[in-house]
Amino acid sequence: NAGVTQTPKFQVLKTGQSMTLQCAQDMNHEYMSWYRQDPGMGLRLIHYSVGAGITDQGEVPNGYNVSRSTTEDFPLRLLSAAPSQTSVYFCASSSWTGAGEAFFGQGTRLTVV
Amino acid sequence: ELKVEQNPLFLSMQEGKNYTIYCNYSTTSDRLYWYRQDPGKSLESLFVLLSNGAVKQEGRLMASLDTKARLSTLHITAAVHDLSATYFCAVASVTGNQFYFGTGTSLTVIP
């Protein structure tokens, strides 16, 4: 029962480098989303998707790119990393049916130097 | 944009005491969630509140929802050390596409 799987768990990047954070879910959820968590600011939505082929911006989308080619996968791309993107990133999935709660991956702690 | 305010931000309480965490939100929603996060860990779902007047209880925690007041509470009864964690409330948008989180309440239970 994997749920939401995020990789990697830790990453250090140099300023200007690019990378992709992977997220996969096996619950057939329609909705997937990416959040960043910074001290004292809760979780802020970066991008979200309501289904394969459909994505939209959240509260803090700048510097990030997403795509959703399948129901299961929702990768987050950092185009040119900046120190301000140092954060903990969480992927989540949810379904409109049932309670609709979000299930979270284990998180990625990203440091940009 | 839906705003979620949570208070207090920090809570230090002695074992055996009771306390309440508050979660206010700015626009209409009928779905509210409470999560727990331990240090360095992910978020774990605690309660799902889907209608006005909903009340859910699990052990020493009880959550309620008043959609007319746009207020949810998380009540802690006779706190124990194991409850030390950060607690988040989250409100779903009317379309259900987005979740808006409070800033979290860092709870420390002192023996």
Side-chain angles (χ1 to χ4, degrees):
Chain A
N1 191 10
V4 181
T5 303
Q6 242 182 279
T7 56
K9 285 190 176 182
F10 301 95
Q11 183 72 49
V12 178
L13 288 179
K14 293 182 178 179
T15 299
Q17 286 185 318
S18 62
M19 78 160 294
T20 299
L21 279 62
Q22 302 292 343
C23 177
Q25 54 97 4
D26 62 0
M27 297 173 281
N28 202 32
H29 285 168
E30 307 93 346
Y31 304 138
M32 295 187 74
S33 49
W34 278 100
Y35 296 86
R36 60 178 288 171
Q37 183 177 26
D38 301 292
M41 302 190 75
L43 277 76
R44 292 183 292 168
L45 181 64
I46 304 171
H47 285 285
Y48 66 98
S49 169
V50 300
I54 306 170
T55 64
D56 206 348
Q57 296 180 352
E59 183 183 359
V60 287
N62 292 340
Y64 308 95
N65 202 357
V66 293
S67 60
R68 183 124 178 247
S69 57
T70 66
T71 300
E72 294 79 19
D73 299 299
F74 190 45
L76 177 72
R77 282 181 285 276
L78 278 70
L79 308 173
S80 178
S84 61
Q85 293 179 305
T86 294
S87 186
V88 180
Y89 292 84
F90 287 99
C91 176
S93 74
S94 59
S95 175
W96 181 252
T97 60
E101 68 202 283
F103 294 86
F104 287 84
Q106 290 305 301
T108 297
R109 184 171 294 275
L110 174 68
T111 303
V112 182
V113 298
Chain B
E1 179 181 303
L2 199 157
K3 299 286 187 187
V4 182
E5 291 187 356
Q6 201 175 324
N7 65 83
L9 295 184
F10 299 94
L11 177 56
S12 180
M13 55 190 299
Q14 287 186 315
E15 278 191 335
K17 298 294 186 182
N18 305 333
Y19 207 83
T20 300
I21 299 170
Y22 296 89
C23 175
N24 291 89
Y25 54 99
S26 61
T27 62
T28 300
S29 175
D30 57 1
R31 291 191 294 141
L32 189 136
Y33 306 89
W34 284 96
Y35 289 88
R36 168 181 172 144
Q37 185 180 37
D38 292 302
K41 303 293 186 182
S42 186
L43 282 78
E44 172 191 356
S45 178
L46 289 175
F47 297 109
V48 178
L49 303 169
L50 300 179
S51 61
N52 186 42
V55 177
K56 296 283 184 71
Q57 183 163 7
E58 180 73 32
R60 301 174 187 273
L61 300 178
M62 183 173 71
S64 65
L65 177 62
D66 181 342
T67 58
K68 294 179 181 178
R70 297 175 186 165
L71 170 69
S72 179
T73 61
L74 179 66
H75 187 72
I76 303 156
T77 301
V80 294
H81 181 69
D82 286 352
L83 291 179
S84 296
T86 299
Y87 294 85
F88 291 94
C89 64
V91 179
S93 64
V94 173
T95 60
N97 295 345
Q98 300 184 46
F99 291 83
Y100 295 87
F101 282 81
T103 51
T105 296
S106 177
L107 171 65
T108 303
V109 180
I110 304 167

